[in-house]
Amino acid sequence: MLYSVSSSGGGSTGGGGTAGGDTSGGGSSAIAVPVTSGHGDTNISATVEGTTATIAADGEQIDKVIADGAKSVEIDISGLGDVDTVKLPTDIISKADEAKGTTLTIKLADGAVELSQKALKTIASGEEVTISIRQTTLTDAQRQAVGSLAQVAAVVDVNLYVGEKQQSRFGGGALTISIPYTPKAGEDTSKLAVWFIRDDGTIENKKGSYDAESGCFVFKTTHLSRYVLVDTTKAHNAANTSAKVGVWTQVVMFFRE
């Protein structure tokens, strides 16, 4: 994936690079973000300030990729490793909501979120939508819940805001979450699954599967909350020796509500 990146000096960089110009001192850089769909492809403008990309697109650009039959509209910022947050204008959300049979996918370096049309309807309120996917660390409470035998590979937070309000439920609409994961040598990825941890320590298996082509573990959910990616074989062994499933030998991610 390629990004045309411009700064005050007119420089550019390809995929995997960072935006031109020094944003660490509070400045911003302009980039062209690739947007693809079954309806068409284009680049839309965005500015990067710190770790946040703010999308700006005119009506002609939006109409080029979002229309009835567009299927999945994908905005891809994953090549900018320092960017963990994207701000989407109301026109993109409303247009995707109005198009029949269309989903909207936002790809960042630490993962991707695909919103079904039903989920889109719950956030098409005329306000700017902010989505973030960022690596973080476990809290003390999370470490205690995981248990002393857990081996944490990565921890990420996925958050969505409509205006200033955090939104974790989407009217029953589905969100498809993809998180990059590199299997260990000899690891059986068919044994991986995502579980939702309830307050009482019991679990709900959200299932999911590893997609070797994208290098991501992919699962569906109807809300953003706290989830753990586990090796189900080892977790089953732990369940056989514990009244409450609270210790796993591999933990990859949490989502904070």
Side-chain angles (χ1 to χ4, degrees), residues 35-38 65-67 69-75 92-93 95-97 99-106 113-120 174-176 220:
V35 182
T36 59
S37 76
V65 291
I66 305 179
K71 298 183 180 178
S72 179
V73 177
E74 181 179 280
I75 299 176
I92 286 180
I93 301 298
K95 189 74 174 182
D97 172 45
K100 295 179 181 178
T102 297
T103 63
L104 178 64
T105 300
I106 306 299
V113 178
E114 178 190 280
L115 295 133
S116 67
Q117 191 161 61
K118 187 174 183 179
L120 280 168
L175 288 80
T176 301
K220 288 189 176 182

Side-chain angles (χ1 to χ4, degrees), residues 214-228:
S214 66
C216 293
F217 188 87
V218 183
F219 69 100
K220 288 189 176 182
T221 183
T222 56
H223 61 96
L224 296 179
S225 187
R226 211 169 269 169
Y227 293 92
V228 184

Side-chain angles (χ1 to χ4, degrees), residues 19 22-29 47-53 81-85:
D22 181 8
T23 61
S24 60
S28 62
S29 298
T47 56
V48 174
E49 186 168 2
T51 62
T52 299
D82 293 337
V83 173
D84 58 26
T85 303

Side-chain angles (χ1 to χ4, degrees), residues 147-163:
S148 61
L149 297 179
Q151 298 174 0
V152 178
V155 184
V156 294
D157 279 341
V158 178
N159 292 294
L160 188 148
Y161 286 83
V162 178

Side-chain angles (χ1 to χ4, degrees), residues 170-214:
F170 302 87
L175 288 80
T176 301
I177 311 293
S178 302
I179 302 296
Y181 177 68
T182 302
K184 298 177 178 63
E187 183 174 6
D188 183 357
T189 57
S190 69
K191 302 300 183 182
L192 297 173
V194 165
W195 290 349
F196 167 55
I197 307 175
R198 298 187 180 91
D199 290 341
D200 63 0
T202 59
I203 59 174
E204 174 188 346
N205 191 343
K206 306 295 287 188
K207 299 183 180 179
S209 61
Y210 183 73
D211 180 7
E213 184 176 351
S214 66

Side-chain angles (χ1 to χ4, degrees), residues 48-63:
V48 174
E49 186 168 2
T51 62
T52 299
T54 301
I55 301 294
D58 58 36
E60 183 177 350
Q61 289 177 316
I62 295 174
D63 289 341

